[in-house]
Amino acid sequence: MDRRRFLQGLTVTGAGLGLGGLTYTPVAPALAAARSTATMSALPPVRVPVADLPLRDYVPVTRFTSDDVDWHVVEDLRHADGVLILHNGNLACVFDKRTEPAYAEEGVPYLGMKLADIALAEADLLADRLLRHGEPDEQEVRGAAPPPASQLNPENYYGRLPWTTFVGTKQCADTMPVYTSGSTRGYHSDQVFADLHDPKRVARRREGVLGGWLPAVHKVVPIDEGRWYDVLVFADVDAHDRFVVQTWHRTALVEHGRISKVRYGYSYPACPPRREAPDAAAFYRALLRFHDYWQRELADASVATVPAPGWSEMARFAFARELVVRPGGDYPKYGAVDRDYYGNEYDGFQDTFTSSLYANLEWGRYAQAAAVLDEFFDDFIQPDGMINMRGAEIGQFGLTLSLMARYLRYTGDDALLRKHRGKIEATAQILLELHDESLALPRDHPGHGLIHGWNESDACLFPEPMLWWKPYYANSALAVRGLTDLAGVWPDLGATDAHTTAMQWQERAGTLRGQVERSLRANIRHDLTPPYVGPLPGAKLTFRESLTQEKPSEQQWPHRAYAELLQADILPDDLAHLVIDCMRGHGATSMGVVANVAPPSADGRDILGFISYGYAQQLLRLNRIDEYLLFLYAHRYHAHTPGSWTAGEVTDLSGGMPLFCIPAQMTIPLLVRWMLVFEDSAGQTLHLGRAIPRTWLESRKPIGIDKAPTRWGYTGFQLRATADGDIEGTVTLPQHAMPDAVWLSLRMPVGKRLSDIHLDGQPVPDTDRRGETVRLRGKPGQRIEIGGR
């Protein structure tokens, strides 16, 4: 449900369980070294040799001096995505420009179906159509519905200008919205070119970010052939105002390969004699510092190489945007700009914490992960384990415990967890106490032995919030995951009676796990097709029936309950498949992504941009790769604004502007990382390249990732197809320890298969092949040469 409509409505209605199976290998220095900003600031700036750049067709723009070095600005103005380069004769900063149309392109929307039919159907009709041939086509997914922010009606935003993106810095406590024309609240681009005030002209804009992933706004508004308005906006990284975001602007008219008119701006219109417009040299000098600032901030992230444009850049952009949203880089904010969700009542939202910690760990951003963890436990976890926020989500307590274990396994930083050990243990104790309460219920009670509690924070906003204090399966499932994972590392944190406590947690997790499975099997409705299981036991109606007939419904927010149940990964495969099939067949997915489930309406069927990554994770575990890729594509193109990549908490399929939230932004980094490197929940198996699209190998361009963290140490691989259609590449096994199994997937283009595979020149025995996957054997840190015919 749209957040503003939801709030308006309120005002009206008043893995394995054995300790021996879990490994722990420290792979990073202690917290003090990991969080050192001195190390980051000492890194040399990112530069490219000028000799490697084809500058022949570039137009000189201006020159400037920085730190006594002369710099030249040149730009390819033959087309709107031409590269901008700053160079000093020897070395250069390269700013790629790649924009996407912010409007619905020509074609029949919804793959020829009616939106009302898609919205009212229980089955996910768009997903069914997009998966009809197996692996979905990325461009077909992109065109399956109008992109977000392509249909903007101010009446839908209470008369306010609908911003589509924003800028800011790590040190500033606020952000600055940027509107469709490129204007901000302080600087108006239409004062330079009146055409930019025309909503019809601006509606045909293209949007992007500068430098591939840097948090700078680039907008292109076409005029006619060879002529366009070009707008650049970025935040001043040298400014240290507490709340005011100072911004740099370039608004230009490009005509037939030349800039015929340009105006540079800084934060506000000129107000002589005290405030004059900056010159070009000041703008590009600031752009150089902006480039170096952000390159240093993300220097520790793993580097992914993929042939399809935008994917690795989206991951890096998300981390830059997180720093922009978080005041000081670590204080949590759920949204940006508007009170919903920038108000302090959202700051302690558990999803903001868990999605950030998870994504930063998966990309090796240990310093940021440590800062986020430390800040959240300091300010938002109370000594008794309760969160400093209006409404708890019980499942997220379990996910928090699981992520504590992941943090320790990845970083080896026990000092930070020892600091917060009391609060971590108190968090676990909340789950144990809730489980005790459920065990006291009569054995014939549907919720006996299952943890009761809210699955959604918004339950606390209703007149009778305890209506939703129910035994949702996800509460218990994530408790099992959290207690199991934390028990595996708890003795390493030096707690009194740690081994005894860990064994008790394991025993309790086993009891809960068994009850979840028994209850779920007992509540399957085989009279429906596909078989149906609700988000909690004892429900007589499906969630759609309940939302329509029961006011209020105990099955509200079933999307969260299903996504978290699957993310916990405690169900046998047959039940996990059943839950996914139930969601797709009974109205809980939209274009292959978890739907934001509400009473069915012909007006639309919404995509849930945040928390839904748990569903995608289970698709990958179950090897439902085609569906995983559909989720990936649909999330990119229908949960993010095109080009500017502003992720929506909930997005509709009709092109409206969603409300931004940072957990939605952190989803693509997780999905891209897992498609390349993914480890199972039990800590036994490592998968490499498991969800690489088949078309990527066909491109003959390199695919891989370097320095990807795992519980066994850093790993990575590089693959590519040769001109002859063979496969070649390398894999670097985890540096500190070997899992029980390492599997490399070689997903060949449709119609092709590998006739033989060689590892370090030796053929792979049949016992080490499973279709397109190959088992890799070796020693920690070993480099293996891959060859396939």
Side-chain angles (χ1 to χ4, degrees), residues 256-484:
H256 309 298
R258 292 288 186 272
I259 295 178
S260 60
K261 179 181 178 181
V262 63
R263 179 84 55 83
Y264 298 95
Y266 184 74
S267 300
Y268 314 110
C271 187
R274 293 292 184 265
R275 180 183 294 142
E276 299 287 357
D279 61 9
F283 176 88
Y284 293 108
R285 191 180 299 116
L287 183 61
L288 176 65
R289 293 194 296 270
F290 170 87
H291 171 275
D292 293 349
Y293 171 101
W294 284 110
Q295 292 286 354
R296 283 194 298 268
E297 287 293 341
L298 267 72
D300 59 347
S302 306
V303 177
T305 304
V306 300
W311 290 107
S312 58
E313 291 86 353
M314 282 189 83
R316 298 183 78 84
F317 174 79
F319 292 121
R321 171 150 282 184
E322 182 192 26
L323 295 178
V324 167
V325 169
R326 287 178 174 267
D330 60 358
Y331 185 86
K333 284 291 181 183
Y334 184 56
V337 182
D338 298 330
R339 178 77 196 194
D340 296 317
Y341 295 126
Y342 209 67
N344 65 79
E345 66 271 23
Y346 299 97
D347 293 351
F349 196 46
Q350 290 158 288
D351 299 282
T352 303
F353 169 66
T354 53
S355 64
S356 170
L357 183 60
Y358 209 158
N360 279 286
L361 285 174
E362 294 291 69
W363 284 85
R365 287 180 46 77
Y366 295 156
Q368 178 66 7
V372 166
L373 192 160
D374 195 27
E375 203 290 327
F376 193 76
F377 269 80
D378 273 346
D379 284 353
F380 295 97
I381 302 292
Q382 297 171 177
D384 63 358
M386 188 59 181
I387 59 165
N388 179 19
M389 201 259 184
R390 65 188 187 194
E393 294 165 343
I394 301 304
Q396 291 293 307
F397 287 123
L399 181 56
T400 294
L401 298 181
S402 176
L403 290 173
M404 296 303 99
R406 185 175 294 266
Y407 177 85
L408 185 58
R409 290 194 182 104
Y410 276 26
T411 69
D413 173 25
D414 62 343
L416 181 56
L417 298 193
R418 285 172 185 263
K419 172 185 174 183
H420 298 297
R421 187 176 58 203
K423 292 183 176 182
I424 295 171
E425 188 168 11
T427 300
Q429 186 61 31
I430 289 175
L431 299 176
L432 299 182
E433 291 172 6
L434 291 172
H435 188 215
D436 287 339
E437 291 182 5
S438 73
L439 291 171
L441 295 172
R443 287 192 171 272
D444 60 352
H445 190 287
H448 173 81
L450 296 174
I451 290 176
H452 290 54
W454 294 325
N455 80 86
E456 171 58 53
S457 173
D458 286 345
C460 71
L461 302 177
F462 285 82
E464 297 183 28
M466 297 309 288
L467 171 67
W468 291 279
W469 198 261
K470 294 291 171 64
Y472 302 103
Y473 291 123
N475 295 340
S476 297
L478 279 175
V480 172
R481 173 55 50 213
L483 292 171
T484 300

Side-chain angles (χ1 to χ4, degrees), residues 526-710:
H526 292 285
D527 59 315
L528 298 177
T529 303
Y532 177 86
V533 58
L536 76 169
K540 303 302 182 184
L541 302 175
T542 67
F543 58 79
R544 272 199 164 190
E545 291 170 341
S546 176
L547 290 169
T548 303
Q549 300 174 29
E550 299 178 323
K551 304 291 185 179
S553 164
E554 67 176 2
Q555 296 192 57
Q556 193 154 329
W557 312 290
H559 38 267
R560 175 184 287 276
Y562 283 124
E564 291 183 344
L565 171 62
L566 292 170
Q567 181 172 0
D569 191 29
I570 69 160
L571 299 177
D573 284 357
D574 68 311
L575 288 184
H577 280 295
L578 182 149
V579 172
I580 290 172
D581 293 341
C582 168
M583 293 176 67
R584 269 193 62 182
H586 292 289
T589 68
S590 181
M591 205 187 297
V593 182
V594 177
N596 186 68
V597 179
S601 166
D603 293 338
R605 185 177 185 131
D606 295 342
I607 286 176
L608 189 70
F610 83 126
I611 72 171
S612 54
Y613 63 88
Y615 173 86
Q617 192 177 54
Q618 190 62 269
L619 291 173
L620 193 58
R621 291 191 189 106
L622 296 174
N623 209 31
R624 298 172 70 146
I625 305 303
D626 295 341
E627 290 167 274
Y628 184 86
L629 291 173
L630 175 58
F631 187 110
L632 178 74
Y633 297 156
H635 200 283
R636 171 177 174 169
Y637 293 114
H638 300 287
H640 291 73
T641 57
S644 57
W645 296 335
T646 297
E649 181 197 53
V650 175
T651 58
D652 61 42
L653 296 180
S654 60
M657 180 64 201
L659 276 175
F660 163 79
C661 79
I662 194 62
Q665 195 85 58
M666 306 309 287
T667 299
I668 289 294
L670 289 168
L671 298 179
V672 172
R673 153 59 199 253
W674 294 336
M675 73 189 299
L676 300 172
V677 178
F678 185 73
E679 56 189 89
D680 73 335
S681 301
Q684 298 172 350
T685 305
L686 177 65
H687 298 278
L688 303 177
R690 194 172 200 189
I692 293 175
R694 297 185 185 280
T695 54
W696 286 11
L697 271 177
E698 195 171 23
S699 72
R700 301 178 184 173
K701 296 178 181 178
I703 307 166
I705 188 170
D706 295 324
K707 200 181 175 184
T710 71

Side-chain angles (χ1 to χ4, degrees), residues 120-196:
L120 295 174
E122 287 208 346
D124 188 345
L125 299 182
L126 285 174
D128 292 345
R129 183 73 63 85
L130 291 164
L131 292 167
R132 65 192 183 279
H133 300 306
E135 184 172 304
D137 178 84
E138 181 176 344
Q139 295 309 313
E140 187 178 32
V141 177
R142 179 180 182 173
S150 62
Q151 303 292 331
L152 298 179
N153 182 351
E155 292 182 2
N156 294 336
Y157 309 95
Y158 303 91
R160 301 180 63 183
L161 291 174
W163 55 272
T164 56
T165 187
F166 57 89
V167 295
T169 64
K170 178 178 176 179
Q171 63 266 24
C172 189
D174 208 343
T175 54
M176 177 60 73
V178 181
Y179 300 104
T180 54
S181 64
S183 295
T184 66
R185 288 190 178 274
Y187 187 89
H188 293 262
S189 59
D190 56 17
Q191 292 177 350
V192 182
F193 298 110
D195 276 354
L196 296 179

